[in-house]
Amino acid sequence: MPVHTRFEPAGDYRLFLGGQWRQPAGAFEAIDPSTGKPWAVLGQASAEQAGEAVAAARTALRTWRRSTVANRQRILWQIADRIEADPDRWARLLATENGRPIREASVADVPDSAAIFRFFSGLTRDLRGDQVPVEDPHSLVYSTREPLGVVAAVLPWNSPLITLANKIAPALAAGNTVVVKPSEFATASVLEFCALVEDLLPPGVLNVVSGGPETGAALVSHPDVALVTLTGGGPTARRIMAGAASALTPSLMELGGKGALIVAHDADLDRAVTDAVNGIYLANGEACVAASRLLLHESIAEEFLGRFAAIADSIRVGDALDESTQLGPLVSRQHHERVLAHLARARTEGVRVLTGDAPVGSDGFFVRPTLLHDTSGGASVLSEEIFGPVTVAETFTGYDDAVARANNTPYGLAAGVWTADLTRAHLIARELDAGIVWVNKWFDLPAGVPMGGVKASGFGRELCWETLLQYSAAKVVNIGLGAQRVSLWG
Ligand code: NAD
């Protein structure tokens, strides 16, 4: 199978402000996680440049918020067309920047992100207010949905094209303008997106300030930001909310997860095992909805673990640009070290390694697909998000116990159950503390289905109708139709 050509940038990346490509205040290197070598130069925006981006977005808001729904609908649809026009280019870019296996990127990230733009394009015409019936016959009351203003979108490094779409498609559909702060580990994808669509959007409607946490902090604390939307980790969310508190800026938080998959004694084991493997190793295990915990009924546990380990052992780990690679590198050296530290700690806590738990090669940031087994019920890997190709199994005897253990994490994003018993499926789904519960499947996030969590997984819902409401606010127009109102003063 071929090894594709690495993505080559046309030059050093700049900032995208007010429809122009601007020289950043500073610069830093982007590292290809498959090779550990620099592949691009990225811009570091200053706090002033973050402020300029907000000002440009504020200026553009005046016309964009009043642009016709037909206009916004057409533009979002055209963006989707352009994304889909060259899936191979995107795949090479995501593989080079992010370590996403090239065979996944063109069949997952590209169609999924295009679908998000198409979904919100369709919804644009449905964002409407209401005529409100009231007691007073001399009143006419109606509401409209108004955009909030300038949205600050802070992105993570995993699935950068999808997380970008999740934020800017609803924001733009509702008439907001946006300043994006991409992750310092996935900036080029966002800037290549801007280059692809810049002629479709009026200047200032979409702006990108790249850089690290300092750039993000300057952006989210800006007093002219009307909404902060983050996809990222809990510590970042807490810092952002503390910063946004002084300006009373509302926020949406899509955070981490520790997804528990319960496998019942009557599950279709062939399919459940394949699904569990898919659930953790897709996207290199760097997915907030990953099946990073397995709760196995004691009667099937041994067989399940044997079959799972056999598949995990056979997974080809390597260069993300290699067509035969099934699992690519982790995104960065820092993250690689973090995942290995989690594994080292698990060993000290007595967790058994059934397969994996090994770095691969010396250049890129690889970890073998790993399956752990904990019998203590108290290991830290059961509750902490690792965000890599690592899942930890436990066995259970009673279903109430399985649900209690599944819920025993700070997170509440995705969870699931494999069972042949419909009643059990519904009862367990009802009890799981999670924003998403999959039954006899895992990893299915189609546009239109609410995506988001409870507890430490955050708040707000992406990908759905409710999202559009979160990116807009009701404005009430209350009209007197001529009759004198009761006067208390003479
Ligand atoms: P992160 O929290 O380290 O960084 C996210 C973004 O926040 C980056 O752009 C970073 O530069 C920025 N940032 C950091 N500190 C900041 C500050 N003080 N002010 C403003 N911005 C700041 O997260 P990450 O490592 O990039 O992404 C992985 C995390 O994202 C995981 O926890 C994962 O579960 C989560 N995630 C959640 C979802 C979801 O939809 N729920 C999807 C993908 C990823």
Side-chain angles (χ1 to χ4, degrees):
M1 292 219 192
V3 179
H4 294 256
T5 324
R6 313 200 95 73
F7 190 88
E8 283 190 23
D12 292 357
Y13 284 100
R14 290 187 276 174
L15 313 176
F16 189 60
L17 300 189
Q20 294 180 340
W21 293 96
R22 294 272 306 280
Q23 200 58 36
F28 61 103
E29 281 179 333
I31 306 295
D32 177 336
S34 295
T35 63
K37 296 196 173 71
W39 74 278
V41 176
L42 303 172
Q44 172 87 38
S46 62
E48 291 71 35
Q49 288 176 317
E52 282 177 46
V54 174
R58 228 179 148 207
T59 304
L61 186 64
R62 286 186 215 127
T63 45
W64 181 251
R65 66 183 297 164
R66 298 286 168 234
S67 64
T68 65
V69 286
N71 185 40
R72 277 180 264 152
Q73 187 169 38
R74 187 177 56 247
I75 290 173
L76 292 178
W77 195 265
Q78 286 174 328
I79 290 176
D81 287 345
R82 291 205 184 168
I83 291 173
E84 284 179 331
D86 197 351
D88 293 343
R89 186 171 187 272
W90 279 115
R92 288 194 303 111
L93 173 54
L94 293 168
T96 305
E97 171 161 61
N98 217 228
R100 184 86 196 232
I102 196 152
R103 57 198 255 159
E104 282 180 20
S106 55
V107 297
D109 300 57
V110 171
D112 289 357
S113 47
I116 295 165
F117 282 102
R118 293 200 200 287
F119 174 72
F120 285 105
S121 167
L123 279 192
T124 306
R125 283 172 189 266
D126 280 334
L127 187 61
R128 65 180 69 162
D130 216 350
Q131 189 260 312
V132 188
V134 290
E135 299 275 312
D136 181 359
H138 305 293
S139 285
L140 172 64
V141 184
Y142 67 86
S143 67
T144 57
R145 296 297 303 185
E146 297 288 322
L148 299 176
V150 177
V151 171
V154 183
L155 304 185
W157 43 259
N158 61 318
S159 307
L161 196 54
I162 293 175
T163 48
L164 174 72
N166 274 339
K167 303 212 178 296
I168 70 170
L172 299 180
N176 303 281
T177 55
V178 186
V179 181
V180 177
K181 209 299 280 173
S183 165
E184 51 277 38
F185 301 107
T187 298
S189 304
V190 174
L191 290 167
E192 291 290 344
F193 171 87
C194 286
L196 185 73
V197 305
E198 64 176 313
D199 61 309
L200 295 176
L201 291 164
V205 169
L206 174 64
N207 308 272
V208 178
V209 284
S210 55
E214 318 75 43
T215 308
L219 173 64
V220 299
S221 57
H222 195 288
D224 288 337
V225 165
L227 175 76
V228 176
T229 169
L230 167 77
T231 296
T236 305
R238 288 182 184 90
R239 281 196 293 274
I240 287 182
M241 289 181 73
S246 63
L248 289 178
T249 313
S251 59
L252 301 171
M253 296 287 163
E254 295 294 340
L255 309 177
K258 191 75 195 179
L261 168 53
I262 297 172
V263 185
H265 68 277
D266 56 4
D268 176 338
L269 274 202
D270 281 340
R271 293 179 57 207
V273 169
T274 311
D275 212 31
V277 169
N278 201 36
I280 184 63
Y281 300 134
L282 199 74
N284 304 332
E286 296 171 320
C288 49
V289 296
S292 51
R293 290 181 70 195
L294 300 172
L295 284 155
L296 311 174
H297 191 270
E298 58 176 357
S299 64
I300 51 92
E302 202 179 324
E303 186 172 357
F304 186 101
L305 290 172
R307 291 201 208 179
F308 187 111
I311 301 178
D313 276 340
S314 73
I315 288 176
R316 290 184 298 277
V317 180
D319 186 343
L321 272 297
D322 188 330
E323 188 85 40
S324 66
T325 290
Q326 294 171 306
L327 192 97
L330 295 171
V331 73
S332 66
R333 190 178 305 282
Q334 296 93 309
H335 187 50
H336 189 234
E337 284 166 6
R338 203 157 44 218
V339 170
L340 294 180
H342 273 292
L343 293 173
R345 181 157 164 214
R347 279 194 301 270
T348 66
E349 292 175 342
V351 175
R352 281 200 310 144
V353 180
L354 300 187
T355 188
D357 185 11
V360 182
S362 55
D363 297 329
F365 313 133
F366 301 100
V367 172
R368 285 265 348 140
T370 299
L371 173 62
L372 306 175
H373 188 200
D374 179 63
T375 49
S376 72
S380 54
V381 283
L382 293 177
S383 57
E384 290 175 7
E385 187 185 41
I386 297 178
F387 222 60
V390 179
T391 193
V392 55
E394 299 169 85
T395 52
F396 67 87
T397 45
Y399 287 98
D400 289 346
D401 178 41
V403 170
R405 286 207 245 166
N407 289 340
N408 189 23
T409 81
Y411 297 105
L413 186 55
V417 55
W418 262 92
T419 179
D421 183 328
L422 192 59
T423 305
R424 180 178 303 111
H426 285 298
L427 290 176
I428 289 179
R430 195 167 70 180
E431 297 304 322
L432 286 169
D433 294 337
I436 302 161
V437 175
W438 283 302
V439 176
N440 295 340
K441 57 157 67 173
W442 194 280
F443 232 129
D444 185 27
L445 299 166
V449 178
M451 152 83 192
V454 295
K455 304 198 297 189
S457 293
F459 43 85
R461 291 292 178 273
E462 297 198 317
L463 268 176
C464 63
W465 163 247
E466 197 180 325
T467 314
L468 219 45
L469 300 180
Q470 293 164 173
Y471 280 89
S472 61
K475 178 197 272 182
V476 167
V477 180
N478 189 338
I479 304 165
L481 295 180
Q484 184 68 44
R485 305 202 75 216
V486 176
S487 172
L488 298 176
W489 294 280

